[in-house]
C-alpha cells in the first residue's frame, strides 16, 4: 500500500508539471500576441503623425555687384550680404530664417554709388563722376568747387558751339523772385540767365586736358550730352563700353588664306603663313613632317657638319600687343627622351639669330626647360624674328641640336 501511494504521487506530480507547461506555453503565446499588437499600434501612430521636417526658407541669391555669405537656410540660420567697391547696399545686410519659412528684413540690392546724385553743382554746373569723388564743371561766369562763386571768364575751349545738335535751351524756374536755370547732364550753361544756352560738354576733351581717367581704350567720340568709345578695325567693343577685344578671324573663317597656308590670328587682323624647310646643302637635307616642323634626314656617319646641324626645326607664331610690359616670358623649349633611350643630362640654350636679338634673353627655368624672355618693349606695328636653339649633351658629349624659329606679330595697339 505504501508503494502504491508513491506511484500515485509521482503520477500526480507529472500531471501537475504538464499542466504548468501548458499554461506557460499559453502565457508566452499571449505575451507575443500583446507585443505584436503594440508594434502594430506604434506603426500606425508613426504613419498617421510623421515627425515634421526641420523648417527651411527659400534659397537667397547674391545681389548683382555683391556677395552673399551663408549657405544654410534652416530656421535661425543667418545669411549676410555685402557689395563690391563702388556700390552701396540697399535693403538688409543680414537676414534670418524664421520658423514660418520666411526671411526677416528686405531683399538686398547693390546700387552704384553716385557722388552726383545729390546735385552738388550749383548755378548750372555739370557734375562729373569719379571714383569716390565728383568734379563740377562750371559755366563761364561761375567758379568754385561747387560753382558757388561768380566769375567772368571766356567760353571754355571744350564747348561745341557751331553745331545746333550740341545746343539746347536751359530749364528755368522762378524761385523767390529770382530766375534759376539749369542744363541737362552732359551740358553746361553759356551766357547769362536771361539769354543763356546749354552747350554740350565734350567729355573726351575735358578728361584728356585735365588728366582724368582714360575714358576709352582706343578712341572717344563726343555725342550730344554724352560720349561713346570706338575700336579700330579688327576689334570689337566689350560690354564695359570702353575696352576692345581682338576678333579672331581664323577661328571665324574670315580669312582669305589659300590652301597650303595656315591662318595665324594677330592683333586686329591675321597672317597667312607657309613655313618652308631650308634647302638641301651638301649632306644636310630636311623633310617636312608637319605644317610647322621639319626633321633632318639621316646623316652619313663621317659627316660632322651634318650631325652639328639642327635635328629638328620648328616654326612658331606669336601675336603681341604694342609696348608690352617687360620682362615678359614668350616661349619655352623643353627636351623629352625617346622611350627606352637615355635622355640628355645637360642642355644649352641660346639665341641663334633674328632681326632684333637685343630685345630678348634666354634663361633656364628648370633642368630640362629654357625660356625666351622679352626684356625691351616693342612698339608696333612690326614683325620680329628670333631663332632659339637647344643643344643636348650626354656625359658632356654633344648629341643633337633643335632650332625654334619664332615670329612675333606686334600689334599697333596696346590691347
Amino acid at each position: 500500500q505504501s508503494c502504491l501511494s508513491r506511484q500515485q504521487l509521482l503520477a500526480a506530480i507529472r500531471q501537475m508539471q504538464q499542466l504548468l507547461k501548458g499554461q506557460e506555453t499559453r502565457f508566452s503565446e499571449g505575451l507575443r500576441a500583446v507585443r505584436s499588437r503594440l508594434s502594430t499600434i506604434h506603426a500606425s501612430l508613426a504613419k498617421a503623425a510623421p515627425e515634421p521636417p526641420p523648417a527651411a526658407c527659400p534659397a537667397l541669391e547674391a545681389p548683382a555687384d555683391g556677395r552673399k555669405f551663408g549657405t544654410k537656410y534652416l530656421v535661425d540660420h543667418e545669411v549676410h550680404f555685402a557689395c563690391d567697391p563702388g556700390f552701396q547696399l540697399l535693403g538688409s545686410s543680414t537676414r534670418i530664417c524664421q520658423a514660418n519659412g520666411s526671411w526677416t528684413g528686405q531683399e538686398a540690392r547693390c546700387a552704384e554709388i553716385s557722388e552726383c546724385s545729390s546735385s552738388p553743382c550749383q548755378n548750372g554746373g555739370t557734375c562729373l563722376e569719379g571714383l569716390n569723388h565728383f568734379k563740377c564743371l562750371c559755366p563761364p561766369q561761375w567758379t568754385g568747387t561747387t560753382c558757388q562763386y561768380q566769375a567772368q571768364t571766356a567760353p571754355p575751349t571744350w564747348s561745341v558751339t557751331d553745331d545746333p545738335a550740341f545746343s539746347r535751351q536751359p530749364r528755368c524756374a522762378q524761385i523767390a523772385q529770382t530766375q534759376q536755370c539749369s542744363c541737362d547732364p552732359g551740358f553746361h550753361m553759356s551766357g547769362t540767365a536771361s539769354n543763356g544756352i546749354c552747350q554740350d560738354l565734350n567729355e573726351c576733351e575735358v578728361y584728356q586736358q585735365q588728366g582724368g581717367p582714360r575714358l576709352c581704350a582706343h578712341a572717344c567720340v563726343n555725342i550730344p550730352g554724352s560720349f561713346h568709345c570706338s575700336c579700330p578695325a579688327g576689334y570689337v567693343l566689350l560690354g564695359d563700353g570702353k575696352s576692345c577685344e581682338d576678333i579672331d578671324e581664323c577661328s571665324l573663317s574670315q580669312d582669305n588664306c589659300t590652301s597650303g597656308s595656315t591662318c595665324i590670328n594677330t592683333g586686329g587682323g591675321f597672317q597667312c603663313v607657309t613655313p618652308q624647310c631650308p634647302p638641301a646643302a651638301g649632306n644636310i637635307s630636311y623633310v617636312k613632317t608637319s605644317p610647322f616642323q621639319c626633321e633632318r634626314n639621316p646623316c652619313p656617319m663621317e659627316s660632322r657638319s651634318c650631325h652639328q646641324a639642327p635635328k629638328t626645326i620648328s616654326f612658331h607664331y606669336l601675336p603681341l600687343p604694342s609696348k608690352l610690359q617687360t620682362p615678359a616670358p614668350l616661349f619655352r623649349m623643353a627636351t623629352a627622351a625617346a622611350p627606352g633611350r637615355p635622355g640628355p643630362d645637360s642642355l644649352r640654350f641660346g639665341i641663334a639669330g633674328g632681326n632684333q636679338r637685343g630685345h630678348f634673353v634666354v634663361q633656364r627655368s628648370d633642368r630640362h626647360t629654357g625660356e625666351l624672355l622679352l626684356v625691351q618693349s616693342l612698339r608696333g606695328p612690326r614683325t620680329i624674328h628670333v631663332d632659339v636653339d637647344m643643344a643636348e649633351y650626354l656625359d658632356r658629349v654633344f648629341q643633337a641640336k633643335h632650332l625654334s624659329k619664332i615670329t612675333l606679330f606686334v600689334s599697333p595697339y596696346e590691347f
Side-chain angles (χ1 to χ4, degrees):
Q1 182 177 5
S2 172
C3 182
L4 183 64
S5 296
R6 177 178 290 180
Q7 290 177 350
Q8 290 176 342
L9 182 61
L10 290 174
I13 291 173
R14 283 195 294 270
Q15 186 176 3
M16 183 64 71
Q17 287 176 339
Q18 289 177 354
L19 178 62
L20 290 174
K21 187 174 183 180
Q23 288 180 345
E24 183 180 0
T25 301
R26 285 193 296 275
F27 177 77
S28 298
E29 290 175 352
L31 187 61
R32 281 196 295 272
V34 170
R35 286 176 177 168
S36 176
R37 181 61 179 162
L38 286 174
S39 297
T40 304
I41 292 173
H42 278 298
S44 62
L45 288 174
K47 180 178 286 189
E51 282 193 19
C57 295
L60 295 176
E61 299 294 333
D65 303 305
R67 290 160 292 161
K68 180 192 72 172
F69 304 94
T71 57
K72 294 185 178 179
Y73 307 133
L74 301 179
V75 172
D76 294 333
H77 280 81
E78 297 182 1
V79 175
H80 306 273
F81 303 94
C83 292
D84 297 336
F87 294 84
Q88 60 183 347
L89 183 70
L90 302 179
S92 303
S93 61
T94 298
R95 302 186 71 181
I96 304 173
C97 180
Q98 304 178 103
N100 61 3
S102 66
W103 292 97
T104 61
Q106 303 296 322
E107 178 185 3
R109 295 185 297 108
C110 293
E112 189 171 5
I113 298 174
S114 174
E115 300 291 337
C116 293
S117 60
S118 60
S119 302
C121 303
Q122 306 172 35
N123 301 306
T126 300
C127 185
L128 290 181
E129 290 281 1
L131 186 60
N132 298 325
H133 75 280
F134 70 92
K135 182 177 181 64
C136 289
L137 297 175
C138 303
Q141 68 271 31
W142 297 95
T143 185
T145 55
T146 59
C147 308
Q148 69 272 37
Y149 304 123
Q150 278 194 318
Q152 295 295 326
T153 60
T157 57
W158 34 259
S159 300
V160 178
T161 58
D162 55 354
D163 189 335
F166 290 84
S167 298
R168 295 180 183 176
Q169 292 297 321
R171 299 190 310 272
C172 298
Q174 198 75 16
I175 301 175
Q177 300 181 349
T178 304
Q179 190 180 38
Q180 299 283 345
C181 297
S182 64
C183 296
D184 293 333
F187 290 82
H188 69 95
M189 183 75 73
S190 177
T192 62
S194 59
N195 62 358
I197 190 75
C198 292
Q199 293 180 330
D200 172 65
L201 171 70
N202 190 332
E203 293 87 354
C204 303
E205 292 293 332
V206 170
Y207 274 78
Q208 184 176 0
Q209 289 181 6
Q210 299 189 1
R214 189 172 182 177
L215 293 181
C216 302
H218 179 58
C220 179
V221 180
N222 185 56
I223 58 177
S226 185
F227 70 95
H228 68 78
C229 300
S230 68
C231 296
Y235 292 84
V236 63
L237 191 66
L238 289 180
D240 62 2
K242 62 180 291 184
S243 304
C244 299
E245 183 176 61
D246 174 56
I247 298 173
D248 189 343
E249 293 84 358
C250 300
S251 64
L252 297 174
S253 299
Q254 296 179 358
D255 62 278
N256 56 2
C257 297
T258 59
S259 177
S261 64
T262 303
C263 179
I264 302 295
N265 183 60
T266 62
F270 62 92
Q271 293 283 340
C272 301
V273 300
T274 311
Q276 299 293 334
C277 299
N283 293 325
I284 307 171
S285 63
Y286 290 87
V287 60
K288 204 169 188 180
T289 55
S290 74
F292 297 103
Q293 180 154 318
C294 301
E295 292 191 13
R296 189 189 66 208
N297 286 314
C299 294
M301 289 295 296
E302 71 281 358
S303 178
R304 178 179 175 83
S305 61
C306 182
H307 287 285
Q308 292 288 336
K311 185 177 181 180
T312 64
I313 301 175
S314 56
F315 302 87
H316 308 270
Y317 302 91
L318 307 177
L320 286 185
S322 184
K323 296 191 287 187
L324 180 66
Q325 186 175 358
T326 58
L330 301 180
F331 180 77
R332 286 184 175 181
M333 293 184 73
T335 184
R341 296 183 59 187
D345 53 21
S346 66
L347 300 171
R348 295 178 188 174
F349 299 92
I351 296 178
N355 56 353
Q356 296 288 336
R357 296 173 59 176
H359 286 75
F360 307 94
V361 297
V362 175
Q363 67 178 16
R364 187 186 300 274
S365 55
D366 59 42
R367 183 182 176 188
H368 296 291
T369 308
E371 194 171 48
L372 176 68
L373 294 179
L374 177 69
V375 292
Q376 291 187 33
S377 186
L378 295 169
R379 185 189 298 267
R382 63 198 301 188
T383 300
I384 305 295
H385 302 282
V386 59
D387 297 341
V388 180
D389 63 12
M390 176 181 69
E392 300 176 347
Y393 291 82
L394 182 61
D395 296 331
R396 299 185 180 182
V397 177
F398 174 81
Q399 301 294 308
K401 181 189 294 184
H402 304 274
L403 180 66
S404 294
K405 300 181 73 66
I406 304 166
T407 302
L408 306 174
F409 297 113
V410 186
S411 162
Y413 311 108
E414 298 176 34
F415 44 80

